[in-house]
Amino acid sequence: MRKWLSREGGGSAQLTLPAALGGGASGFGAVCTMPTSFTVVPVEAQGGERDGQQREEEDEGDERDRGTGDGTARESSPFINRAELDRGNMYEGKNMALFEEEMDSNPMVSSLLNKLANYTNLTQGVVEHEADEDSKRKEVKGPQMGTFIGVYLPCLQNILGVILFLRLTWIVGTAGVLQSFIIVFMCCACTMLTAISMSAIATNGVVPAGGSYYMISRSLGPEFGGAVGLCFYLGTTFAGAMYILGTIEILLTYISPSAAIFKVEDVGEETEAMLNNMRVYGTCIIILMAIVVFVGVKYVNKLALVFLACVILSIIAIYAGAIKTAFDPPDFPICLLGNRTLSKRSFDVCAKFTENNNETKTTPLWRLFCDSSLLNATCDDYFSLNNVTEIQGIPGIMSGVLTDNLWSAYSEKGSIVEKKDQPSIAGSEESKMGGLPYVFTDIMTYFTMLVGIYFPSVTGIMAGSNRSGDLKDAQKSIPTGTILAISTTSFIYLSCIVLFGACIEGVILRDKFGEAVNGNLVVGTLAWPSPWVIVIGSFFSTCGAGLQSLTGAPRLLQAIARDGIVPFIQVFGHGKANGEPTWALLLTAGICEIGILIASLDSVAPILSMFFLMCYMFVNLACAVQTLLRTPNWRPRFKYYHWTLSFLGMSLCLALMFICSWYYALIAMLIAGCIYKYIEYRGAEKEWGDGIRGLSLNAARYALLRVEDGPPHTKNWRPQLLVLLNLDNEQLVKHPRLLSFTSQLKAGKGLTIVGSVLQGIYLDKCTETQKAEENVKALMGVEKTKGFCQIVVSPNFRDGISYLIQSAGLGGMKHNTVLMAWPQSWKQTENRFSWKNFVDTVRETTAAQQALLVAKNIDLFPTNQERFTEGNIDVWWIVHDGGMLMLLPFLLRQHKVWRKCKMRIFTVAQMDDNSIQMKKDLQMFLYHLRLNAQVEVVEMFENDISAFTYEKTLMMEQRSQMLKQMQLSKNEREREAQLIHDRNTASHSTPAVEASVAAAMPEKVQMTWTKEKFVAEKHKNKDSNVSGFKDIFNMKP
């Protein structure tokens, strides 16, 4: 089918069958890298003989001076004949090479291998800091760190941390040994599966020193890399805040409680005072740590061994203490009133009264529960009804306390820590508990909250991959060291759960801050030889972990900023002259301060759990995608991986995110999604051969194969455009408004192929093809035309357009409509190819069974910035075309330019037609099409419309079929067509003269015919015109 579209100006566009528009052609191109010139020279006699002295000097010259174009020396091989080499030297510089330029871009194999051997795996975006204060460059020594020092110990130090010392005993007491075992097993399984995926990625090629950010970004692309990299940065930063809060908690609770700035004045203000102390001390410590990091990282690195020694000694002390309890349990008595645990911070003697010299005296405990020290004083109801008992807090591993600690004991906030199976008599409900020396729970506990608090204790598995630049053999050390470290720490955590449950009384385990054991650290009560081993060791361990977080997080942010994929953080890529990330350090300290102001270790831990879980989830996703795609470059040396393990790890990470905190998980995913869309919107210019691009190609291939199964259903049909553009001598588009009209018609939906033809030979027109493609793509970007560009080089325009119509598209994604402009110079006799190409295009489009849209006066069409406030889109519906003419104005009105325009449908009726019934039928047809349009029926005389009626069109097809059946020769068919043409010319001579006279005296166009006009036109030239118009439809098309 063929449609002509016309814009005559003003606020109305008309889609009319007889009217037409102006046009062009344009398209998509291939990139070529052909050499600009080459010379083939015979081997014989190049410029005469060279004198022997010159040849001698060349043979004795330095081989390195004769490069291959890449600045590297040519190698002399014992396997190459020396005489042939000398003969080659004689012709050096004489254009002996075929495609000589390739020698500059493609060096010899030996030179290439030399470069690969000297490849440096320093991190992109990270500057190595030299220890030499005089800024003298020392010779860089090769990395010498092995698996144990370079990967195993750093991972061990990062995984074992603050949660083990401060919260693991409380988690065991609250969740019970069995549920604690489940929590630890889930988290350790998550990190183990992630480590397997990470090992596969890390051993696939040279490992960049940059940790998970580089792994994810180079595997999943810049969008995912930027989003997950920033999430990993936020996780590392909040980890620093958590470690600092742990440091302050150890300091103010176990080392020096008197150092608190905010004192407890009233009952119930203990928690608020503690949080305020955390905020003040935390701010001071973070400023101090930031100064230390700013002064120099080398001081932090020198202390790393001390911090590691503290962790290892603390672990050894816990195991030693657990073994010692088997034969000599430590003496840590706890005081119970009934079944309620009492805090021993306010009293020493666990009794209501004491007898001395037959004299009964009340104890400080009595005075806490009674209104006086007298024996007849009024006391708390529960205190009067229950006895005070003293039991051992550390009964020992052989005591059988493990059976009591197997099950969970979750509680509400503010409830009293009670011992199970202990006799107790309930007091009056009205008795006030505030101010009494009970041990209270500070937060409400439940399983999912404990998962969120515990998970940070298994993070830190990336420590080995972050140091890959310092490893002797990163591809061997990273998998081995990381998996061994996770196995070791998993064993430590699981064994500690069993030991804590078997050695320590349940009420002590649920006592988070050790109030029942005189304010001692609970895990310290188990340690040997002294609780201070754990207290001091955990203090320095958490302090060092906080320093390392403040050291690593700014460098990660600096690496992301220097990659340039997130524009708004590029300022953080700058730093001091030696490369220290000053601005990134300031931002990290600021974000850390947010965690400090939250002030609760239990509230900060789930936040960083979200960010680390998201990072681990995408590491698993990267490995699974690369494995499933089977990309040729995916050849990891680590063979013990499978996509099902990666998928399981990814699912487990996602499940843990929502188990920990569903709202934190949604916030973290929203942050990552916003960063992803921002990078995508700004246009990520990096191309790292990532897996997401391969996944997109696979999905596109699958979709194309599915689409090609059959023709599209009528409901799914929409114009898939091939837009033919004309280019000028500068390869610029002649009619840019054609692309404006395309974007208005398509609105980014469906397929759009913008094509153009360059006349010539492809080898000669390669540069012009690239330039034309760049220009067309640039214009498509300006006009917001979403589609593909295709430039075809052909010896002539007609063939080029034919190639586009035949071959544009792929599989089921092919165009079904051709959009072009009306030829401008078709009336000029000297330019006979213009109209001929146009006619051929019309014929070939029809032969391909495609619709044709021809735009006339395209330069008068509106731009995308214009807005019509009124006007009409007129459709002249003369031949039923399946509804395409109705569809076009509907699609146009979806765009902002045409949204306020109205749609009018004009149809033509003959004198013997029922105009009123036609109008009703057309309105009903539009109603079923769900289109709103004004319907107008134009009654015209048969002579005026007979050339366009549907019946006469059928007669044309019948005439064509008849000529074929007559089996006339080519000359006979041409004579038959010429005879009909001559008759047609003679019959139109008289009406043509009258038409020119009528044109000189224009009249107002009357859209609806009156009876008088009907009678006048009926007898006007009836005899002279009827035969001529009948003959015209017998002409061969």
Side-chain angles (χ1 to χ4, degrees), residues 823-836:
Q824 286 182 322
S825 55
W826 65 278
K827 289 185 179 181
Q828 300 176 9
T829 56
E830 65 274 7
N831 190 6
R832 57 184 293 269
F833 293 103
S834 177
W835 62 265
K836 191 175 187 307

Side-chain angles (χ1 to χ4, degrees), residues 270-419:
E270 296 89 351
T271 304
E272 189 62 31
M274 185 64 179
L275 294 180
N276 289 330
N277 286 322
M278 289 273 201
R279 294 183 179 107
V280 174
Y281 274 95
T283 304
C284 298
I285 289 180
I286 201 170
I287 293 173
L288 182 63
M289 286 186 174
I291 293 174
V292 171
V293 174
F294 179 78
V295 168
V297 186
K298 58 182 179 180
Y299 301 111
V300 180
N301 292 334
K302 287 179 181 178
L303 293 172
L305 193 59
V306 177
F307 300 143
L308 177 63
C310 292
V311 174
I312 295 175
L313 289 175
S314 300
I315 299 293
I316 294 174
I318 293 173
Y319 280 105
I323 295 172
K324 182 175 177 295
T325 61
F327 52 88
D328 185 16
D331 184 25
F332 278 101
I334 57 174
C335 191
L336 299 177
L337 175 61
N339 64 349
R340 298 178 178 178
T341 311
L342 298 177
S343 172
K344 297 186 72 173
R345 292 179 184 269
S346 307
F347 63 92
D348 297 326
V349 181
C350 182
K352 293 183 179 181
F353 42 80
T354 58
E355 292 185 5
N356 189 10
N357 297 328
N358 294 326
E359 182 180 359
T360 302
K361 291 184 179 181
T362 57
T363 61
L365 179 62
W366 177 280
R367 289 189 287 272
L368 290 173
F369 282 91
C370 302
D371 56 1
S372 71
S373 59
L374 301 176
L375 292 174
N376 58 356
T378 304
C379 297
D380 179 76
D381 213 11
Y382 188 86
F383 181 76
S384 303
L385 294 173
N386 290 277
N387 295 323
V388 176
T389 56
E390 194 173 53
I391 62 173
Q392 278 298 325
I394 313 290
I397 198 169
M398 307 298 292
S399 63
V401 74
L402 178 63
T403 56
D404 297 332
N405 293 329
L406 281 177
W407 312 109
S408 61
Y410 299 116
S411 59
E412 298 290 329
K413 180 180 179 181
S415 59
I416 300 174
V417 176
E418 298 178 345
K419 177 174 171 54

